């Protein structure tokens, strides 16, 4: 992309209600803008990041033999009445009426609809297991939509549902999805933990959450410094008062607290804050039984499907990457999530030598499949640099005055270090940094 043609409305000021770095920087960097309470538009940069995350999620799920579908976002209320969830979901579920006074729901999740899709179409154990997912809009009329993309009312979720002929097979899939989710979050470049979790409103036995560790996280976790162990305090503390008191503490306050118990591996335990970006549940027959979704087993007996469900907060991940990767000047995207991995900044666009090197590098990098921005805008150098910091390109090639001596600079956003490189070798240098 050329900066001179790009729609990236960066701003000096953050929205007055923004407290989280991701909320401030995603709005200031021209990634998203707020349409209403908990409603966000994705502008070009935000859309690219969202699609990159979506593509990684899809690739890993497809590798694990999950199949993508797309369910209608508006669902008839009857579905929710049959499962008994119409009441349980309460006000979080937004209900609407059409011109014939029929009642509908904006999907907050899709267990019922997915069960209906499979019911009577999959009738034999021979057709199992089956894992269907979608990456689709959800609506939850959250009591307090805030923190930007972190807790929207309308948001993008990957929701998957698996169907099995036995509990053992369902548990096998649950474990496979845990491994698949780990691959996804690792590829995104995130520092995360898998924790035993409270299963909340969706219910069922056996549930794990995936948390991105970040000081601003809403959940309070206990994690081991030596091994992978982590738990949500909601599952390991018994008294409600104790849990509430711990939840109310800030990250800094939590660091002062000592945990007397040790991890089973012998390692020390610490409190951390986490952002829930994924959740996997073993459902059993919680939905298949009331919705009468049955199959015939090897002995010709009719049984309800054993099920599990798997969620990822795709739009929340856009914010989670930034909560974990930012500084006072703006975003620091990971290589996998950056809208453009390399920014070529031509300091003086009237200088033909600078401009032609910029154009040449732009073409070469694009041809090598690198997502690259050519900053050919008319702005001053200082302005361009501030903008690049705010947007958070992992690398910026600065083509400036030094080109007279055959040199350019490679600036790394995370370390803020600048490397002087011979203009003739800068392409190779960038390819090396990205490999
Ligand atoms: P939370 O406790 O944060 O409200 P949840 O337990 O209600 O989450 P799930 O029903 O498990 O969420 O949904 C799956 C995933 O969708 C969550 O792990 C989270 O990443 C994401 N998610 C849930 N609610 C929102 C929201 N309001 N905005 C953005 N993402 C969300
Ligand atoms: Mg919720």
């Amino acid at each position: 992309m050329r900066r001179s043609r790009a729609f990236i409305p960066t701003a000096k000021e953050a929205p007055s209600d923004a407290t989280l770095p991701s909320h401030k920087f995603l709005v200031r960097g021209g990634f998203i803008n707020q349409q209403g309470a908990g409603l966000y538009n994705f502008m070009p940069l935000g859309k690219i990041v969202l699609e990159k995350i979506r593509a990684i999620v899809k690739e890993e799920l497809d590798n694990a033999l999950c199949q993508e579908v797309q369910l209608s976002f508006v669902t008839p209320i009857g579905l929710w009445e049959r499962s008994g969830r119409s009441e349980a979901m309460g006000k979080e579920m937004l209900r609407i009426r059409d011109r014939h006074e029929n009642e509908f729901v904006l999907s907050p999740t899709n267990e019922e609809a997915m069960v209906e899709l499979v019911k009577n179409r999959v009738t034999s154990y021979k057709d199992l297991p089956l894992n269907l997912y979608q990456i689709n809009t959800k609506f939850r009329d959250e009591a307090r939509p805030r923190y930007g993309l972190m807790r929207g009312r309308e948001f993008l979720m990957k929701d998957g549902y698996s169907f099995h002929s036995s509990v053992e097979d369902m548990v096998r899939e649950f474990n496979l999805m845990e491994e698949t989710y780990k691959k996804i979050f690792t590829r995104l470049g995130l520092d995360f933990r898998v924790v035993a979790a409270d299963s909340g409103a969706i219910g069922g036995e056996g549930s794990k959450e995936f948390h991105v560790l970040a000081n601003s996280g809403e959940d309070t976790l206990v994690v081991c410094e030596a091994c992978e162990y982590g738990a949500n305090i909601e599952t390991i503390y018994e008294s409600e008062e104790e849990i509430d008191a711990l939840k109310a503490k800030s990250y800094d306050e939590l660091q002062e607290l000592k945990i007397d118990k040790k991890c089973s591996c012998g390692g020390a335990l610490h409190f951390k804050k986490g952002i829930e970006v994924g959740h996997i549940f073993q459902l059993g027959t919680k939905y298949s039984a009331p919705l009468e979704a049955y199959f015939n087993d090897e002995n010709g007996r009719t049984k309800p499907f054993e099920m599990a469900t798997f969620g990822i907060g795709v739009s929340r991940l856009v914010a989670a990457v930034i909560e974990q990767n930012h500084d006072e000047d703006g975003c620091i995207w990971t290589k996998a999530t950056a809208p453009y991995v390399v920014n070529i900044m031509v300091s003086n666009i009237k200088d033909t030598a600078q401009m032609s090197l910029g154009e040449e590098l732009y073409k070469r990098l694009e041809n090598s499949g690198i997502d690259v921005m050519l900053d050919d805008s008319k702005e001053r150098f200082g302005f361009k640099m501030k903008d690049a910091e705010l947007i958070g390109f992992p690398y910026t090639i600065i083509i400036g005055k030094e080109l007279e001596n055959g040199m350019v600079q490679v600036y790394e956003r995370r370390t803020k270090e600048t490397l002087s490189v011979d203009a003739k070798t800068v392409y190779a240098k960038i390819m090396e940094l990205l490999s």
Side-chain angles (χ1 to χ4, degrees), residues 367-380:
N367 288 341
S368 306
I370 308 295
D371 296 320
V372 56
M373 172 73 82
L374 175 64
D375 190 346
D376 57 351
S377 65
K378 292 193 182 105
E379 302 295 342
R380 290 176 295 107

Side-chain angles (χ1 to χ4, degrees), residues 140 142 149-152 155 157 202 276-279 313 316:
R140 293 182 183 179
E142 299 273 357
L149 296 181
M150 207 65 91
R151 186 166 298 285
F155 58 98
M157 192 204 281
I202 292 182
E276 185 195 317
V277 292
H279 203 165
R316 179 179 285 185

Side-chain angles (χ1 to χ4, degrees), residues 147 215 217-221 233-234 240-254 257 271 273:
Y147 304 143
N215 301 3
E218 274 193 290
D219 289 83
T220 306
L221 313 175
I233 55 159
E234 289 174 9
E240 288 284 332
E241 291 93 70
E242 213 173 351
I243 293 174
D244 288 342
L246 283 170
K247 274 187 175 173
K249 292 202 187 309
S250 70
Y251 176 82
D252 289 334
E253 287 166 340
L254 285 171
L257 298 179
F271 286 111
K273 289 279 189 182

